[in-house]
Every structure is written in C-alpha cells, then in structure tokens.
Amino acid sequence: AQRVTQPEKLLSVFKGAPVELKCNYSYSGSPELFWYVQYSRQRLQLLLRHISRESIKGFTADLNKGETSFHLKKPFAQEEDSAMYYCAWGGNYQLIWGAGTKLIIKP
Amino acid sequence: EADIYQTPRYLVIGTGKKITLECSQTMGHDKMYWYQQDPGMELHLIHYSYGVNSTEKGDLSSESTVSRIRTEHFPLTLESARPSHTSQYLCASSEYALSTEAFFGQGTRLTVV
C-alpha cells in the first residue's frame, strides 16, 4: 500500500537557520506530492505542490524519484514558520498523508 | 466569501447519543471529503462524495454515515456515539479529484464520554 513517512515528529531550529522537513513515499510511478501546513488555530492549507515547482513563503520542495523523497526546505527560518507540516501523496481518488512534523522556530 | 464551514468546533457528548457533524461549503466544489485524525497521527479518509447523491467510503472503516443531498452540504452522522469515536473530524472540498488541492474546514473535535 502507498505510504508517506515523515520521520520527525518534532523539529526545532533557531531563527535564521536552514530548515529541512523530510518526507519519503512508497510508490512507483509518477506521483503528485504536496506539502500542507497548519498554523496555530488555523485550518490545514496547501503550502506547495511538486508539479508547480514554485517557492511559497521561501519554502521549496524537490521531488527525488530515486530516493522517493519530497523534502521541504527553507534556507533561513523565520518565527512565523512555526507550524505543523504534512506531506501528502496524491493518487487514485485520495491523498495519503504523513503523520506530520511540528516545526518550532526558536528566537 | 468562498469558504468551507464546520459546526460545531467542539462537541462533548455521552455514549449512545446520535450526533451529526455539519459541513457546508460555498466554494462551488463538487467534491467533498471527511477525514478522521487522532492526535499526532495521519489524516485518514473516511468518506467522500463526487457530487449530489454520490457517497463512497474511504480507506478507514468508519461507523459513521454521510449524505449529499445538496452540492454545498455534506453532513456526517453517528447513530450511536462511543468513546472509540473520540477524534478530530475534518471536512474538505476540492474542485477536481482529491489528488489535487483540497480546502479544509476548521474541524470538529469530538469527545464521547
């Protein structure tokens, strides 16, 4: 079965430091991959998707088919980046979700 | 303003009660979904609908039922609540298939005592 793994439940970095949130998926083929974010007291929302190859709020994510990874990166973390981040794989009729990583940016 | 609404936000209810979690959207989307999420865990799809009078069960088995009589409304019902139903329930909608961007409501946190 398709599976999305986010190995870190919690990631804490200092403001200005680089951030990398890991995501691995188990699927062969051409996946659609997404990063969703949930800020405190806000609803879950799309951050970015691999197909658009865009940078949102300074975050980028590159699909590595060889390593079946879709890690989320930002070169310089900001305090407002503190949130829950979920990686999701899209296929068939549904999204398969990782368990999420809580990112804390320390001042 | 286009949005997706869930009520109530929080619900504490006794075992055996019947409950309905409401979800409405003004996004104009045909596709709607219900997810269940336990703390610190993944979201699991429990029901989805591709349009009026269309409902399907998701991968996670659930004792809840749904209906889709109107495009904008997708309520979830538990006929007899049990403590094992305690969880967060998230409603979402999308313009295209679920493997594209989904828009989420604020969620309903259900506690069955």
Side-chain angles (χ1 to χ4, degrees):
Chain A
Q2 292 83 15
R3 187 175 180 86
V4 175
T5 304
Q6 292 181 251
E8 302 135 332
K9 281 199 172 292
L10 174 66
L11 183 63
S12 181
V13 302
F14 284 102
K15 176 182 172 182
V19 171
E20 183 179 51
L21 299 164
K22 291 183 168 55
C23 173
N24 289 91
Y25 63 93
S26 61
Y27 179 74
S28 59
S30 298
E32 292 189 58
L33 286 150
F34 307 83
W35 277 99
Y36 279 76
V37 61
Q38 187 169 26
Y39 301 104
S40 178
R41 298 187 180 84
Q42 295 186 29
R43 65 187 69 187
L44 196 57
Q45 59 186 290
L46 179 68
L47 178 63
L48 55 79
R49 70 190 83 185
H50 93 274
I51 198 168
S52 56
R53 302 184 65 83
E54 58 198 344
S55 172
I56 303 292
K57 299 184 179 183
F59 284 98
T60 58
D62 290 322
L63 176 63
N64 186 322
K65 290 187 178 180
E67 295 181 357
T68 59
S69 69
F70 188 55
H71 303 328
L72 183 68
K73 299 178 184 178
K74 184 169 182 176
F76 307 104
Q78 299 171 295
E79 288 186 68
E80 55 264 34
D81 296 328
S82 294
M84 279 292 297
Y85 291 81
Y86 294 92
C87 181
W89 173 89
N92 301 325
Y93 59 87
Q94 68 170 310
L95 290 167
I96 306 294
W97 297 81
T101 298
K102 183 173 185 176
L103 176 63
I104 297 174
I105 307 300
K106 297 178 286 190
Chain B
E1 182 180 338
D3 205 347
I4 179 164
Y5 306 93
Q6 286 186 248
T7 57
R9 291 287 309 279
Y10 303 92
L11 179 62
V12 181
I13 201 162
T15 297
K17 299 291 186 183
K18 178 180 178 178
I19 57 170
T20 296
L21 307 185
E22 300 288 349
C23 177
S24 295
Q25 52 99 358
T26 55
M27 312 283 287
H29 291 162
D30 284 329
K31 297 164 182 60
M32 296 187 74
Y33 317 89
W34 276 103
Y35 284 94
Q36 184 173 339
Q37 183 184 29
D38 293 325
M41 303 296 287
E42 304 90 336
L43 281 72
H44 291 286
L45 184 68
I46 51 175
H47 298 283
Y48 63 100
S49 167
Y50 281 172
V52 172
N53 294 325
S54 150
T55 61
E56 301 287 344
K57 288 188 179 291
D59 280 356
L60 183 67
S61 175
S62 173
E63 293 165 345
S64 59
T65 59
V66 293
S67 62
R68 190 88 183 275
I69 297 172
R70 302 197 320 262
T71 299
E72 61 272 18
H73 194 214
F74 191 41
L76 181 146
T77 299
L78 276 165
E79 290 292 333
S80 179
R82 293 208 302 269
S84 59
H85 296 139
T86 294
S87 189
Q88 175 161 251
Y89 294 84
L90 294 170
C91 182
S93 72
S94 66
E95 185 174 5
Y96 303 111
L98 184 50
S99 58
T100 56
E101 181 175 4
F103 294 85
F104 284 83
Q106 293 275 31
T108 294
R109 191 168 296 279
L110 173 66
T111 303
V112 184
V113 297

